[in-house]
Each structure stands twice: as structure tokens, then as C-alpha cells.
Amino acid sequence: MPAPPEYPEVPHPHETTTGNGPAAVDLRDASAQARDNPRMAPPGADDWDCVSTAEHPEPVVLVHGTWGNTYSAWSGLAPQLKADGYCIFAPNLGEADITTGGGVQSLGSGVFATKDIALTAGDLADYVDAVLQATGTSQVDMVGHSQGGLLARQYLKFNGGAEKVGRLVTLGATNHGTTLNGLGTLDRTIGDLGLDLDPALDYVIGEAGIQQVYDSPLLTELNADGDTVPGVNYTAIGSRYDTTTTPYESTFLTAGPG
């Protein structure tokens, strides 16, 4: 059997970020700053001495999307939530390189969330456990953007997260996959003709990106028994103007029992 790929070493949960970055004016500014310092946390996040309040007892874990990082994704929202009295945690997750299916984007700076989503869900599980231990709480709330919402659901279903997450908010998440504005549809059509391009595309788009194309094995397994797990409060937010999760209706969830 071939040796498993050697992904970049997963940092200790407290070390997924390296200090807080400054305030950002907008997404373009945040992305530019993150390229220069790709591991910094957004303002207001990752205070491992934060004490939850009675008004907001659950810490909030923010999970970024594909090809992104936590600073560029959350430098607007994190300080607002912190000002409202929440303990905020925002890891960088899913690092891979070009040799382990990270895709060509992984050659750039500040690019995360390209690794196999099932493996990254295990890293998210370790991170949440560290947050619970640091804050002395029994549950977190979670907000996931794009792949971040899908990753959170993978964690809930397969990595013991259902008992550790009270609320999940997904923002434009690829919950039922994406056509990638037709590129995914073309890939599936070619696959139906007997030519599976996905292994090669892992090294172009990234393994996590290909896993988010509709009808992928990961999505099929995740959604096989319904969209939700009992005991978790879900909010799924989508936009008809979404150009990444297409069609945008695929972001929404159907509530199951409990």
C-alpha cells in the first residue's frame, strides 16, 4: 500500500493563530493584510483567558472557508461579537500543500481549508475540546462560512460534535454541494462518460474543493441520513447572489428529527 500523504503538521489548538491582527477596512484590506501575516487572528478572537458571561455562556467558534484564513474571513465579525460580550475563537484549519492535494492555490500565502474535509473535521474536534477546556464550558456555538459550514456538519456527525455544539449558523455553506457555476456539472458529465477527473483535480482545485462538488462521496455520506443531528439548533443563511455555492438553494437544510 502507498504511504499516506504527509500533510503539514497540525499546530496545537492554541497555535493555529499567532496573535491578533489590526482592524481591517474591508475584505480587500483584510485579504491583503492576511497575505503578509497569514496566521494572525482577527481582532477580538483567541483570548484563551476569556471568561464567558451569564448573558453569553457559550463561546463562539468561527470556521472559515476554502482557500481562506481566519483573519480575512472574520476580521469584520469577530470584533463585533467580542464587543457584544462573547468569547470568540477562530482557528486556521485544513492546511495542505501542492503535494498533498492542496491545489495550486496552496502555493500562495494565507491559504487554508484545502485539506481533506474529513481529516480537517478531526482537527476541528481537537480545537473545540481545547476551547471547552480553556473556558470551562460544556458547549460552544459555531459559525461556518462556505466550506466552514460543511466542515462543522462533518464534525457534528462523525467526530462527536453533536454533544459539544449548541447552535450552528452556516453562511453560504456548500451543504448540498455546488455546481461551481457549471464547472462542477462539466466534471460530473465527464465522469458519467467513464473518465474520473477528480483525483487529478485534487492537485489543481484542491481536495476539499472537489469534495464540495455536488454528489461527491463525502457529501453523499454526510447527507445520507438527513441534514441535521438531534439536539443542535441550526440556522442556514444563503443569498440568491451567491456565485460560489450554486445554485444558492443548495445551502439550505431540511430539519430532521430532534
Side-chain angles (χ1 to χ4, degrees):
M1 294 179 61
E6 295 184 4
Y7 290 99
E9 184 177 356
V10 177
H12 187 276
H14 293 66
E15 298 171 347
T16 67
T17 55
T18 54
N20 297 93
V25 175
D26 52 27
L27 179 58
R28 180 178 297 179
D29 179 37
S31 298
Q33 293 197 55
R35 283 194 295 271
D36 294 334
N37 190 353
R39 294 189 180 275
M40 63 185 175
D46 291 6
D47 175 5
W48 291 92
D49 295 318
C50 185
V51 178
S52 297
T53 64
E55 185 178 6
H56 301 300
E58 287 80 24
V60 178
V61 176
L62 306 176
V63 188
H64 63 81
T66 310
W67 300 341
N69 54 70
T70 194
Y71 178 83
S72 63
W74 305 117
S75 58
L77 181 62
Q80 295 182 50
L81 292 175
K82 180 68 171 181
D84 286 341
Y86 292 91
C87 291
I88 304 300
F89 296 88
N92 282 310
L93 293 168
E95 185 176 9
D97 57 30
I98 191 69
T99 67
T100 53
V104 295
Q105 290 280 348
S106 66
L107 296 172
S109 176
V111 177
F112 296 89
T114 59
K115 179 179 171 181
D116 177 359
I117 291 171
L119 294 179
T120 305
D123 301 335
L124 178 58
D126 292 340
Y127 189 87
V128 171
D129 285 348
V131 170
L132 295 177
Q133 182 177 6
T135 59
T137 54
S138 60
Q139 285 191 325
V140 302
D141 291 337
M142 195 169 284
V143 182
H145 170 240
S146 193
Q147 184 201 137
L150 183 67
L151 174 60
R153 291 183 55 228
Q154 180 81 14
Y155 161 62
L156 291 178
K157 185 171 182 178
F158 296 113
N159 297 86
E163 297 178 354
K164 300 175 183 180
V165 176
R167 297 176 178 85
L168 171 62
V169 179
T170 68
L171 307 174
T174 49
N175 285 315
H176 290 278
T178 175
T179 66
L180 289 174
N181 284 313
L183 291 177
T185 305
L186 177 61
D187 175 41
R188 292 290 176 256
T189 301
I190 293 173
D192 290 342
L193 297 175
L195 180 59
D196 183 7
L197 297 178
D198 285 4
L201 290 174
D202 286 349
Y203 294 91
V204 180
I205 296 175
E207 186 170 9
I210 293 302
Q211 288 176 323
Q212 292 169 86
V213 176
Y214 70 96
D215 290 342
S216 74
L218 181 133
L219 286 167
T220 299
E221 184 178 15
L222 177 61
N223 295 323
D225 300 316
D227 295 349
T228 62
V229 297
V232 179
N233 185 310
Y234 292 81
T235 301
I237 299 174
S239 168
R240 68 186 65 185
Y241 304 108
D242 195 330
T243 58
T244 301
T245 300
T246 55
Y248 80 93
E249 293 93 343
S250 66
T251 198
F252 297 123
L253 300 170
T254 299

